[in-house]
Amino acid sequence: MKSQSPDPGPFGVMVHKEIADHIRSWRFSILIALIVLTFIAAMYVSLANIKSAIGNTKDPDHLFLYLKLLTTTDNSIPPFHVFLSFLAPLLGISLGFDAVNSEQNSGTLTRLMAQPIYRDNLLLAKFVSALVIVSGLFFALALLMIGGGLVLTGVRMEPQELLRILGFIVITIAYVAFWLSLSIMLSILFKQAATSALTAIGIWLFFTIFYQIVINLIVKSFLPDPAYLSQAEIIRYNDLILNLQRIAPNQLYSDAVTTLLMPSVRSLGPVTMEQMAGAIPAPLPFKESVMIVWPQVSGLMASTVGCFAFAYYFFMRREIRS
Amino acid sequence: MKDPIIQLKGLTKQYGAVKAVDGLNLDIDKGEIFGLLGPNGAGKTTTILMMLGLTDPTSGTAFVCGHNATSSPIHVKRKVGYMPDSVGFYDNMTALENLVYIGRLNGVPENELKKRSAEVLEIVGLAADQHKKTSAFSRGMKQRLGLADVLIKNPDVIILDEPTLGIDPTGVRDFLALIKQLSRQQGLTVLLSSHHLHHVQQVCDRVGIFVNGQLLAQGDIGALSAQLFGTDSHVTSIKTAQPVPQPWQLEAELQAWEAITQIRIHENELEFTSSRDVTSALVRFLVEKGYDVIGVNQKNYGLDDIYQKYFESNSTKKTSYEKSIS
């Protein structure tokens, strides 16, 4: 059956093998189980509360049933996209932290590099194979959710909703890709898999927990008493804090998915009364939401590409010996 | 006409202040088995890595199969099979899967792959173990699988880095015999590095002695000993039935022979060092003089002695250098 297909070339062969490795590994099975369980829990809670959410006519988004399925919660557990903002890094890190150094330690890297393949193909194969798996996983989850929602409620789906959910999936994949390329880079820098895993987890913890605290502390130290500031100055300081927080990839991610999943979000920064005057609280069209999150998405992509470029730089001229 | 398949010209690799390989010039012809012999840390592995383009030389060039290894490593790696000193396999895969993966990476067509891998496993004698996971393999089996790995791509040149390391004596003998047989049958060029003199001596057509990044000598074992020991290259020791008296009146007569440079007497053992082979003349002389010769031993220098000699001169150089800087 395979002999009929065209020769996949060394890159295809490597991707094939890496995907097979991931699927067979315990590590990946555990992570899938974790994410699927989270998904089921979030769906369960949102299905229980969907009736009141749809009935809430004060909410301009109340008619988007499928978006509500993803975002509704009774505050007992966070909604799925918030869960993902800290599970996705874990997924990316665990798929990439030992990509290169484990091969080096087991002596397979020398053997692999002695074959007629380009070095960057190895890195790309590691990256692409993990991404293929992650994309498969998230698309499967999203489609399951949509299908399940259709069967359970029988409500027709707006094209806009489908686009927004697919956008959410794509951004989630880009977010995983960032952590994946970061951890692949660390796996090249550090000889020991444990060191690179700990470093990656350290970076992740820093951005999820400490980064906001640090920013607040720093800004507080030079922020004058708000009571003495004009409104324009307050907005300026607010912008500063927000922009500093947007250095953290998880901030970018949660900004982007919130905007996509809640069509009534119009701006990610503070909005003045003048700007709000005359605005009708109504959902934005899909295109406008995408325009709002575009900087976030390009930021995520840029950091992914940046990490990958560093990985490439470190790997290309390095001496391979076991 | 001789057309070397491996040509190294002024190959140099510098790590900081240390020259791991220093201006190496080496030609290896098609079909020969060349042994790169040197102690640990002499720069053998670095040289091999440079030949495969796995590390960049500081200066100089390495041409393998007509391609520059630094600028077009892919072309070189298509023709060259390399077995690293500590060869590793994917432990979660079987021997066959590991081999097939390498075959695919080398672009062996899918419909030939099965036949080829079965053939190669047969050659290295792992056909019975092909469905075992490689994590259960012994060191010797891993080396064999490593050789299978190298053979599946149908190479012109095989480079083996310390192939005999950590295998038991029978394993070594079989392995070396296999390499020799393959080289002769398929016309493969083999470059093997080792610090085991006897292993190299068993199979290699030519040997290069490599110490501290420099190739001190190259040639076959006979040529090497001539090059190294110069005029003193023949030693004959003769055992007589009765002890030789001290002082020995015949000694002066023998000293007069122009070929003999040194005579050593130890009870009934006589050792002559000479510039050419005078063994038969010596025996005749002693018999005529009424000595009962019970043993004659012509000493050939083995790699051991060659190695020892290089090593000595090298270590004295080193100590004098250390003294000069302190």
Side-chain angles (χ1 to χ4, degrees):
Chain A
M1 71 207 169
K2 247 182 224 149
S3 51
Q4 269 102 42
S5 66
D7 183 24
F11 178 66
V13 174
M14 275 193 281
V15 172
H16 189 98
K17 184 237 161 210
E18 292 296 329
I19 290 181
D21 272 1
H22 280 312
I23 289 177
R24 285 184 204 145
S25 72
W26 270 107
R27 188 198 311 171
F28 186 66
S29 316
I30 291 171
L31 276 163
I32 281 201
L34 196 62
I35 286 177
V36 169
L37 281 179
T38 326
F39 179 73
I40 291 174
M43 282 305 111
Y44 181 76
V45 171
S46 72
L47 274 174
N49 294 290
I50 194 82
K51 195 175 171 203
S52 59
I54 300 292
N56 179 11
T57 45
K58 281 193 189 128
D59 180 359
D61 298 341
H62 72 278
L63 283 176
F64 292 102
L65 177 83
Y66 293 90
L67 297 183
K68 281 287 161 213
L69 268 181
L70 276 173
T71 51
T72 310
T73 172
D74 59 359
N75 294 327
S76 58
I77 59 164
F80 186 54
H81 67 98
V82 177
F83 260 126
L84 271 191
S85 77
F86 54 84
L87 275 184
L90 204 59
L91 189 62
I93 290 171
S94 71
L95 289 179
F97 78 92
D98 64 347
V100 175
N101 48 17
S102 73
E103 296 241 8
Q104 184 151 20
N105 291 340
S106 65
T108 46
L109 188 64
T110 331
R111 192 166 138 254
L112 212 54
M113 284 293 108
Q115 311 309 326
I117 50 172
Y118 293 101
R119 278 191 191 194
D120 49 338
N121 272 0
L122 177 74
L123 284 189
L124 203 59
K126 297 263 177 203
F127 184 71
V128 168
S129 60
L131 267 196
V132 166
I133 288 192
V134 169
S135 320
L137 170 69
F138 283 129
F139 275 110
L141 280 182
L143 294 177
L144 272 179
M145 184 212 87
I146 293 172
L150 273 176
V151 169
L152 286 177
T153 63
V155 175
R156 196 176 68 94
M157 192 177 192
E158 298 286 330
Q160 209 199 123
E161 277 181 292
L162 180 65
L163 286 178
R164 281 176 186 275
I165 289 173
L166 291 183
F168 160 66
I169 298 297
V170 168
I171 290 174
T172 307
I173 292 167
Y175 185 48
V176 176
F178 165 74
W179 288 101
L180 183 65
S181 69
L182 179 77
S183 62
I184 289 181
M185 183 184 85
L186 293 173
S187 85
I188 295 170
L189 283 181
F190 297 111
K191 287 252 157 65
Q192 297 299 325
T195 319
S196 77
L198 279 178
T199 315
I201 288 177
I203 295 173
W204 166 53
L205 274 182
F206 172 74
F207 276 127
T208 14
I209 300 174
F210 300 111
Y211 188 67
Q212 284 188 332
I213 303 174
V214 170
I215 293 288
N216 282 337
L217 276 180
I218 292 175
V219 173
K220 248 185 209 152
S221 65
F222 67 82
L223 183 72
D225 186 349
Y228 297 102
L229 289 175
S230 71
Q231 198 189 20
E233 279 172 321
I234 290 179
I235 289 177
R236 212 160 52 84
Y237 275 112
N238 226 327
D239 267 347
L240 180 73
I241 295 174
L242 263 178
N243 283 335
L244 282 176
Q245 281 182 350
R246 281 185 190 135
I247 292 174
N250 49 327
Q251 183 69 35
L252 292 180
Y253 173 72
S254 49
D255 278 2
V257 294
T258 314
T259 314
L260 274 184
L261 292 179
M262 299 178 178
S264 55
V265 173
R266 316 191 134 219
S267 161
L268 292 165
V271 181
T272 57
M273 285 310 284
E274 289 84 6
Q275 284 170 315
M276 281 300 284
I280 303 160
L284 287 180
F286 174 64
K287 195 183 148 222
E288 298 305 317
S289 290
V290 170
M291 299 285 272
I292 291 177
V293 300
W294 197 246
Q296 271 75 4
V297 175
S298 26
L300 269 182
M301 300 271 187
S303 353
T304 311
V305 172
C307 282
F308 196 77
F310 273 117
Y312 186 88
Y313 172 77
F314 292 132
F315 192 59
M316 280 320 270
R317 284 295 161 203
R318 112 129 33 147
E319 183 176 290
I320 310 284
R321 54 165 90 196
S322 39
Chain B
M1 180 189 143
K2 277 198 168 178
D3 187 19
I5 197 159
I6 298 179
Q7 267 182 303
L8 309 179
K9 281 192 196 129
L11 205 62
T12 303
K13 177 74 185 182
Q14 199 145 7
Y15 291 109
V18 185
K19 272 192 175 163
V21 179
D22 188 3
L24 176 63
N25 290 303
L26 180 65
D27 285 348
I28 297 174
D29 294 321
K30 199 166 162 32
E32 76 174 331
I33 304 181
F34 189 89
L36 202 55
L37 187 64
N40 296 330
K44 290 170 297 188
T45 304
T46 311
T47 308
I48 289 172
L49 291 183
M50 284 192 281
M51 281 189 231
L52 287 160
L54 291 179
T55 184
D56 294 344
T58 313
S59 67
T61 50
F63 272 92
V64 180
C65 303
H67 298 284
N68 186 330
T70 312
S71 56
S72 51
I74 299 288
H75 293 282
V76 171
K77 287 190 249 180
R78 265 193 205 119
K79 300 269 180 71
V80 179
Y82 167 53
M83 190 170 95
D85 51 351
S86 56
V87 57
F89 297 94
Y90 296 108
D91 283 345
N92 54 348
M93 288 156 73
T94 65
L96 185 65
E97 284 168 344
N98 265 295
L99 188 62
V100 163
Y101 180 48
I102 294 296
R104 285 206 181 111
L105 284 181
N106 280 287
V108 177
E110 206 69 27
N111 44 6
E112 280 179 33
L113 203 53
K114 214 168 181 181
K115 202 174 119 245
R116 271 281 279 288
S117 44
E119 257 171 38
V120 170
L121 282 169
E122 190 63 47
I123 291 176
V124 298
L126 280 179
D129 301 303
Q130 56 177 304
H131 295 297
K132 268 195 204 161
K133 292 245 158 104
T134 49
S135 50
F137 270 29
S138 69
R139 170 103 202 166
M141 288 161 90
K142 280 191 180 170
Q143 294 284 23
R144 281 157 179 277
L145 186 55
L147 191 62
D149 238 22
V150 163
L151 293 175
I152 197 165
K153 63 159 95 170
N154 232 342
D156 293 348
V157 179
I158 300 183
I159 297 178
L160 308 165
D161 196 358
E162 302 276 5
T164 54
L165 202 69
I167 325 183
D168 57 65
T170 16
V172 168
R173 208 179 49 218
D174 294 350
F175 194 81
L176 290 175
L178 184 61
I179 290 170
K180 187 153 191 166
Q181 182 198 344
L182 283 172
S183 162
R184 295 293 177 261
Q185 280 174 358
Q186 309 187 7
L188 293 175
T189 312
V190 180
L191 171 73
L192 67 92
S193 87
S194 179
H195 59 257
H196 273 284
L197 322 150
H198 300 289
H199 303 163
V200 171
Q201 206 167 8
Q202 276 173 40
V203 292
C204 290
D205 302 323
R206 271 200 314 145
V207 174
I209 297 199
F210 202 56
V211 178
N212 278 356
Q214 283 172 320
L215 194 67
L216 296 180
Q218 55 168 310
D220 57 54
I221 310 243
L224 270 185
S225 74
Q227 195 180 335
L228 181 64
F229 296 94
T231 52
D232 307 337
S233 59
H234 294 272
V235 173
T236 312
S237 71
I238 296 176
K239 239 183 194 169
T240 52
Q242 56 280 80
V244 174
Q246 287 278 20
W248 193 33
Q249 63 273 39
L250 293 175
E251 194 174 340
E253 202 175 322
L254 283 167
Q255 287 281 19
W257 293 23
E258 45 140 5
I260 292 180
T261 52
Q262 203 190 349
I263 301 174
R264 261 188 293 181
I265 303 165
H266 183 75
E267 291 190 4
N268 62 341
E269 267 189 65
L270 305 160
E271 201 179 272
F272 303 91
T273 311
S274 56
S275 57
R276 61 194 161 79
D277 192 1
V278 291
T279 312
S280 53
L282 276 171
V283 173
R284 206 176 308 127
F285 176 83
L286 286 173
V287 170
E288 276 168 10
K289 294 291 174 191
Y291 286 91
D292 295 333
V293 176
I294 55 168
V296 180
N297 190 11
Q298 208 176 0
K299 198 170 169 190
N300 279 321
Y301 282 105
L303 216 37
D304 255 337
D305 309 272
I306 299 170
Y307 198 46
Q308 197 58 41
K309 182 115 181 178
Y310 272 117
F311 223 49
E312 276 166 17
S313 62
N314 189 61
S315 58
T316 49
K317 223 192 284 169
K318 210 171 188 176
T319 42
S320 62
Y321 172 70
E322 274 160 9
K323 269 175 203 152
S324 68
I325 52 171
S326 60

PDB file of all heavy atoms in Angstrom, chain A residues 276-290:
ATOM      1  N   MET A 276     -17.189  55.330  24.187  1.00  0.00           N
ATOM      2  CA  MET A 276     -18.335  54.447  24.378  1.00  0.00           C
ATOM      3  C   MET A 276     -19.644  55.117  23.971  1.00  0.00           C
ATOM      4  O   MET A 276     -20.636  54.440  23.707  1.00  0.00           O
ATOM      5  CB  MET A 276     -18.439  54.020  25.837  1.00  0.00           C
ATOM      6  CG  MET A 276     -17.485  52.911  26.224  1.00  0.00           C
ATOM      7  SD  MET A 276     -17.752  51.431  25.256  1.00  0.00           S
ATOM      8  CE  MET A 276     -19.236  50.820  26.029  1.00  0.00           C
ATOM      9  N   ALA A 277     -19.618  56.473  23.945  1.00  0.00           N
ATOM     10  CA  ALA A 277     -20.872  57.196  23.721  1.00  0.00           C
ATOM     11  C   ALA A 277     -21.474  56.802  22.376  1.00  0.00           C
ATOM     12  O   ALA A 277     -20.791  56.797  21.353  1.00  0.00           O
ATOM     13  CB  ALA A 277     -20.613  58.705  23.758  1.00  0.00           C
ATOM     14  N   GLY A 278     -22.711  56.444  22.391  1.00  0.00           N
ATOM     15  CA  GLY A 278     -23.409  56.111  21.157  1.00  0.00           C
ATOM     16  C   GLY A 278     -23.206  54.679  20.700  1.00  0.00           C
ATOM     17  O   GLY A 278     -23.809  54.251  19.729  1.00  0.00           O
ATOM     18  N   ALA A 279     -22.338  53.925  21.396  1.00  0.00           N
ATOM     19  CA  ALA A 279     -22.110  52.540  20.990  1.00  0.00           C
ATOM     20  C   ALA A 279     -23.238  51.663  21.502  1.00  0.00           C
ATOM     21  O   ALA A 279     -23.642  51.780  22.657  1.00  0.00           O
ATOM     22  CB  ALA A 279     -20.779  52.049  21.522  1.00  0.00           C
ATOM     23  N   ILE A 280     -23.729  50.799  20.632  1.00  0.00           N
ATOM     24  CA  ILE A 280     -24.788  49.877  21.059  1.00  0.00           C
ATOM     25  C   ILE A 280     -24.102  48.575  21.492  1.00  0.00           C
ATOM     26  O   ILE A 280     -23.268  48.050  20.745  1.00  0.00           O
ATOM     27  CB  ILE A 280     -25.748  49.583  19.893  1.00  0.00           C
ATOM     28  CG1 ILE A 280     -26.317  50.900  19.380  1.00  0.00           C
ATOM     29  CG2 ILE A 280     -26.848  48.635  20.309  1.00  0.00           C
ATOM     30  CD1 ILE A 280     -26.873  50.798  17.991  1.00  0.00           C
ATOM     31  N   PRO A 281     -24.386  48.085  22.683  1.00  0.00           N
ATOM     32  CA  PRO A 281     -23.759  46.835  23.099  1.00  0.00           C
ATOM     33  C   PRO A 281     -24.247  45.674  22.235  1.00  0.00           C
ATOM     34  O   PRO A 281     -25.309  45.124  22.477  1.00  0.00           O
ATOM     35  CB  PRO A 281     -24.177  46.665  24.556  1.00  0.00           C
ATOM     36  CG  PRO A 281     -25.363  47.540  24.723  1.00  0.00           C
ATOM     37  CD  PRO A 281     -25.284  48.628  23.709  1.00  0.00           C
ATOM     38  N   ALA A 282     -23.476  45.396  21.176  1.00  0.00           N
ATOM     39  CA  ALA A 282     -23.865  44.333  20.255  1.00  0.00           C
ATOM     40  C   ALA A 282     -22.618  43.560  19.882  1.00  0.00           C
ATOM     41  O   ALA A 282     -21.507  44.085  19.972  1.00  0.00           O
ATOM     42  CB  ALA A 282     -24.485  44.944  19.000  1.00  0.00           C
ATOM     43  N   PRO A 283     -22.773  42.291  19.481  1.00  0.00           N
ATOM     44  CA  PRO A 283     -21.596  41.513  19.085  1.00  0.00           C
ATOM     45  C   PRO A 283     -20.932  42.099  17.847  1.00  0.00           C
ATOM     46  O   PRO A 283     -21.605  42.621  16.961  1.00  0.00           O
ATOM     47  CB  PRO A 283     -22.167  40.132  18.801  1.00  0.00           C
ATOM     48  CG  PRO A 283     -23.626  40.320  18.638  1.00  0.00           C
ATOM     49  CD  PRO A 283     -24.005  41.500  19.458  1.00  0.00           C
ATOM     50  N   LEU A 284     -19.602  42.002  17.803  1.00  0.00           N
ATOM     51  CA  LEU A 284     -18.866  42.473  16.629  1.00  0.00           C
ATOM     52  C   LEU A 284     -18.904  41.389  15.551  1.00  0.00           C
ATOM     53  O   LEU A 284     -19.016  40.214  15.871  1.00  0.00           O
ATOM     54  CB  LEU A 284     -17.400  42.714  17.003  1.00  0.00           C
ATOM     55  CG  LEU A 284     -17.073  43.917  17.847  1.00  0.00           C
ATOM     56  CD1 LEU A 284     -15.575  43.954  18.084  1.00  0.00           C
ATOM     57  CD2 LEU A 284     -17.520  45.191  17.151  1.00  0.00           C
ATOM     58  N   PRO A 285     -18.784  41.787  14.276  1.00  0.00           N
ATOM     59  CA  PRO A 285     -18.619  40.762  13.245  1.00  0.00           C
ATOM     60  C   PRO A 285     -17.270  40.055  13.417  1.00  0.00           C
ATOM     61  O   PRO A 285     -16.348  40.606  14.030  1.00  0.00           O
ATOM     62  CB  PRO A 285     -18.650  41.547  11.931  1.00  0.00           C
ATOM     63  CG  PRO A 285     -18.952  42.942  12.279  1.00  0.00           C
ATOM     64  CD  PRO A 285     -18.818  43.128  13.734  1.00  0.00           C
ATOM     65  N   PHE A 286     -17.173  38.861  12.846  1.00  0.00           N
ATOM     66  CA  PHE A 286     -15.963  38.043  13.009  1.00  0.00           C
ATOM     67  C   PHE A 286     -14.714  38.800  12.567  1.00  0.00           C
ATOM     68  O   PHE A 286     -13.680  38.794  13.230  1.00  0.00           O
ATOM     69  CB  PHE A 286     -16.124  36.752  12.191  1.00  0.00           C
ATOM     70  CG  PHE A 286     -14.901  35.901  12.175  1.00  0.00           C
ATOM     71  CD1 PHE A 286     -14.413  35.340  13.351  1.00  0.00           C
ATOM     72  CD2 PHE A 286     -14.203  35.657  10.995  1.00  0.00           C
ATOM     73  CE1 PHE A 286     -13.279  34.561  13.347  1.00  0.00           C
ATOM     74  CE2 PHE A 286     -13.067  34.877  10.988  1.00  0.00           C
ATOM     75  CZ  PHE A 286     -12.609  34.328  12.160  1.00  0.00           C
ATOM     76  N   LYS A 287     -14.843  39.504  11.435  1.00  0.00           N
ATOM     77  CA  LYS A 287     -13.672  40.184  10.887  1.00  0.00           C
ATOM     78  C   LYS A 287     -13.123  41.217  11.865  1.00  0.00           C
ATOM     79  O   LYS A 287     -11.914  41.343  12.062  1.00  0.00           O
ATOM     80  CB  LYS A 287     -14.058  40.858   9.567  1.00  0.00           C
ATOM     81  CG  LYS A 287     -12.862  41.281   8.759  1.00  0.00           C
ATOM     82  CD  LYS A 287     -13.273  42.000   7.496  1.00  0.00           C
ATOM     83  CE  LYS A 287     -12.225  43.036   7.152  1.00  0.00           C
ATOM     84  NZ  LYS A 287     -12.809  44.291   6.719  1.00  0.00           N
ATOM     85  N   GLU A 288     -14.057  41.949  12.528  1.00  0.00           N
ATOM     86  CA  GLU A 288     -13.617  42.987  13.470  1.00  0.00           C
ATOM     87  C   GLU A 288     -12.900  42.364  14.665  1.00  0.00           C
ATOM     88  O   GLU A 288     -11.886  42.874  15.133  1.00  0.00           O
ATOM     89  CB  GLU A 288     -14.823  43.805  13.953  1.00  0.00           C
ATOM     90  CG  GLU A 288     -15.549  44.543  12.853  1.00  0.00           C
ATOM     91  CD  GLU A 288     -14.632  45.447  12.053  1.00  0.00           C
ATOM     92  OE1 GLU A 288     -13.800  46.139  12.666  1.00  0.00           O
ATOM     93  OE2 GLU A 288     -14.730  45.431  10.803  1.00  0.00           O
ATOM     94  N   SER A 289     -13.427  41.235  15.137  1.00  0.00           N
ATOM     95  CA  SER A 289     -12.770  40.563  16.265  1.00  0.00           C
ATOM     96  C   SER A 289     -11.368  40.135  15.870  1.00  0.00           C
ATOM     97  O   SER A 289     -10.409  40.283  16.641  1.00  0.00           O
ATOM     98  CB  SER A 289     -13.567  39.336  16.689  1.00  0.00           C
ATOM     99  OG  SER A 289     -14.774  39.736  17.293  1.00  0.00           O
ATOM    100  N   VAL A 290     -11.248  39.618  14.653  1.00  0.00           N
ATOM    101  CA  VAL A 290      -9.928  39.187  14.192  1.00  0.00           C
ATOM    102  C   VAL A 290      -8.987  40.374  14.134  1.00  0.00           C
ATOM    103  O   VAL A 290      -7.816  40.289  14.524  1.00  0.00           O
ATOM    104  CB  VAL A 290     -10.031  38.490  12.824  1.00  0.00           C
ATOM    105  CG1 VAL A 290      -8.658  38.262  12.233  1.00  0.00           C
ATOM    106  CG2 VAL A 290     -10.755  37.174  12.960  1.00  0.00           C
TER     107      VAL A 290
END
